[in-house]
Amino acid sequence: IIANPGSDNDLYLEDGDEIYVPRKLQTVRVMGSVLFPTYVRYKGGMTLKSYVNRAGGFSDRANKNHAFVLYANGTVKSVRRVFWIRDYPSITPGSKIIVPEKPIEIKNKMTTAETVSMISALITAAALIVSIFK
C-alpha cells in the first residue's frame, strides 16, 4: 500500500478503526484427511507433500487430487493435475493445507429383483388406497 498508493489494495479507514498487525507467522496448519492433523513449523522449500508427511501422511480416504492451500491473505490454490502429474501449490508461512475426503461410494445398490418387488409393493399399496376411497 505504501509503495503504490491509490491502488486497489488500499484500505479505507474511518474514525475509530484500528489496524492490527499480527506477529510473523511461523507455522503451516495441515488438516482434513491426514493421519494426524497438526501445525508444522514453516521451513522454506518444503512441498505440500512434505508437510502432509509431517502430519502422518494422507489417510486412506484422502482425496489427493482435490487438496488445496488456503493462504494467510485469504487466497486459495488447489492441486492441479496435468496429465498424470500432480502440480502442488507452493506453501508460505501461515498457510492451511486442507485435504478433503473421497466421497462415500454406495456399494450396496439394490438388485433388479429388489427394485421390481419394491415398485410392485408401492403399486399394490396405491391401488389399495384408491379402492378404499371409492
Side-chain angles (χ1 to χ4, degrees), residues 65-81:
N65 292 332
H66 291 97
F68 60 94
V69 177
L70 175 61
Y71 293 100
N73 66 3
T75 60
V76 176
K77 285 190 180 176
S78 60
V79 174
R80 292 186 332 209
R81 196 167 165 169

Side-chain angles (χ1 to χ4, degrees), residues 65 78-87:
N65 292 332
S78 60
V79 174
R80 292 186 332 209
R81 196 167 165 169
V82 181
F83 297 109
W84 297 277
I85 301 170
R86 288 187 187 106
D87 180 27

Side-chain angles (χ1 to χ4, degrees), residues 40-98:
V40 178
R41 184 173 175 88
Y42 173 78
K43 184 177 180 184
M46 286 181 57
T47 64
L48 182 141
K49 285 180 77 173
S50 302
Y51 285 103
V52 169
N53 287 336
R54 289 206 175 172
F58 293 107
S59 74
D60 293 339
R61 304 265 320 124
N63 193 344
K64 298 174 190 176
N65 292 332
H66 291 97
F68 60 94
V69 177
L70 175 61
Y71 293 100
N73 66 3
T75 60
V76 176
K77 285 190 180 176
S78 60
V79 174
R80 292 186 332 209
R81 196 167 165 169
V82 181
F83 297 109
W84 297 277
I85 301 170
R86 288 187 187 106
D87 180 27
Y88 293 98
S90 60
I91 308 299
T92 59
S95 299
K96 290 182 186 177
I97 298 172
I98 302 169

Side-chain angles (χ1 to χ4, degrees), residues 108-119:
N108 298 333
K109 294 181 181 177
M110 292 189 340
T111 64
T112 306
E114 290 171 330
T115 305
V116 169
S117 66
M118 184 180 288
I119 291 172

Side-chain angles (χ1 to χ4, degrees), residues 1-13 19 21:
I1 292 173
I2 294 171
N4 189 9
S7 72
D8 292 340
N9 294 326
D10 280 0
L11 298 174
Y12 297 103
L13 302 175
I19 296 177
V21 180

